[in-house]
């Protein structure tokens, strides 16, 4: 039922998702020290969010969206789509539970060239297709209730960390997909910037 699907979404959403988003971003920064330096420079010595650090977060959420499995929606009306060859209509009937894995569009090569590469600069001139493909908080009237809080936390915590520390990834760990998409067993050494 629709209510059961919503309960499952709330359970997954409340499972430390913002903490894992920060951790996934730190793992990527540990693997890419040049990005960390560029992000620190973009902050200009402050701890307020910068456009470049926002691109780092967006790119991290594209590569490793914490809610990668997506969500389930109960359809309240029929959905009609043209087939790939546009010769007929595909109908997903009202009453269906529609599973929407949010990670799939994040790796479409026609939208994101070299999709497995961590490249925050790709967001400097983001296309509408790019913005529509990456939906870490879902979309519409049933998007993530905690979206504003999560963004506020990311926009507060990451600038403070990036402005004060360098991150050296000692052990990447393994990607875990139970409820959320995150690195498990990662080990990071934190140092103060040399300059």
């Amino acid at each position: 039922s629709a209510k059961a699907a919503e309960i499952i979404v709330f359970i997954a959403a409340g499972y430390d998702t913002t903490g894992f988003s920060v951790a996934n971003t730190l793992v990527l920064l540990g693997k890419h020290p040049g990005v960390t330096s560029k992000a620190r420079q973009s902050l200009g010595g402050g701890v307020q969010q910068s456009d470049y650090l926002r691109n780092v977060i967006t790119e991290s959420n594209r590569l490793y969206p914490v809610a990668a499995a997506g969500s389930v929606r109960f359809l309240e009306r029929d959905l009609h789509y043209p087939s790939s060859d546009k010769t007929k209509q595909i109908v997903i009937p009202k009453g269906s539970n529609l599973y929407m894995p949010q990670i799939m569009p994040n790796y479409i090569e026609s939208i994101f060239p070299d999709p497995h590469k961590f490249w925050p600069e790709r967001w400097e001139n983001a296309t509408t297709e790019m913005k529509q493909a990456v939906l870490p908080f879902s979309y519409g009237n049933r998007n993530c209730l905690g979206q504003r809080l999560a963004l506020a936390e990311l926009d507060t915590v990451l600038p403070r960390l990036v402005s004060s520390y360098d991150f050296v990834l000692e052990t990447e760990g393994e990607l875990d997909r139970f409820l959320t998409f995150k690195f498990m067993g990662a080990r990071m050494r934190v140092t103060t910037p040399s300059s």
Side-chain angles (χ1 to χ4, degrees), residues 1-13 70-75 96-99 142:
S1 77
K3 288 181 183 177
E6 291 296 319
I7 289 169
I8 291 168
V9 169
F10 289 144
I11 289 170
S71 57
V72 177
R73 296 288 199 260
F74 179 80
L75 296 183
S96 298
N97 283 315
L98 183 62
Y99 169 61
R142 289 191 234 154

Side-chain angles (χ1 to χ4, degrees), residues 4-184:
E6 291 296 319
I7 289 169
I8 291 168
V9 169
F10 289 144
I11 289 170
Y15 189 70
D16 226 356
T17 49
T18 305
F20 288 134
S21 291
V22 170
N24 289 349
T25 302
L26 293 178
V27 166
L28 286 166
L29 291 173
K31 290 172 73 170
H32 301 89
V35 172
T36 306
S37 295
K38 187 172 179 179
R40 182 177 303 112
Q41 289 174 350
S42 76
L43 293 169
V47 292
Q48 298 299 318
Q49 186 60 273
S50 68
D51 289 341
Y52 185 73
L53 188 53
R54 167 61 38 216
N55 293 343
V56 168
I57 294 168
T58 302
E59 183 71 348
S60 174
N61 284 332
R62 182 190 70 80
L63 281 171
Y64 303 115
V66 174
S71 57
V72 177
R73 296 288 199 260
F74 179 80
L75 296 183
E76 297 177 357
R77 61 181 174 86
D78 290 350
L79 293 180
H80 300 265
Y81 294 97
S83 62
S84 58
D85 62 3
K86 300 186 183 348
T87 60
K88 59 185 172 189
Q89 284 282 322
I90 297 170
V91 177
I92 303 173
K94 174 182 176 178
S96 298
N97 283 315
L98 183 62
Y99 169 61
M100 303 181 323
Q102 292 172 335
I103 195 170
M104 289 180 69
N106 297 5
Y107 287 87
I108 297 172
E109 199 160 358
S110 62
I111 298 174
F112 301 105
D114 201 358
H116 296 279
K117 179 180 180 182
F118 177 60
W119 184 38
E121 289 77 6
R122 78 172 76 235
W123 294 98
E124 289 172 2
N125 297 303
T127 65
T128 301
E129 272 188 317
M130 291 169 66
K131 293 174 188 174
Q132 291 174 344
V134 178
L135 300 171
F137 299 100
S138 193
Y139 185 76
N141 62 358
R142 289 191 234 154
N143 68 350
C144 176
L145 294 172
Q147 177 176 354
R148 288 183 191 262
L149 177 60
L151 290 173
E153 290 176 12
L154 290 168
D155 288 347
T156 302
V157 171
L158 284 168
R160 289 183 183 276
L161 292 174
V162 168
S163 67
S164 302
Y165 304 104
D166 280 326
F167 309 96
V168 179
L169 185 64
E170 294 186 337
T171 306
E172 186 171 327
E174 307 249 335
L175 279 169
D176 180 76
R177 292 167 180 83
F178 178 72
L179 287 183
T180 52
F181 194 37
K182 71 269 184 197
F183 288 95
M184 296 297 287

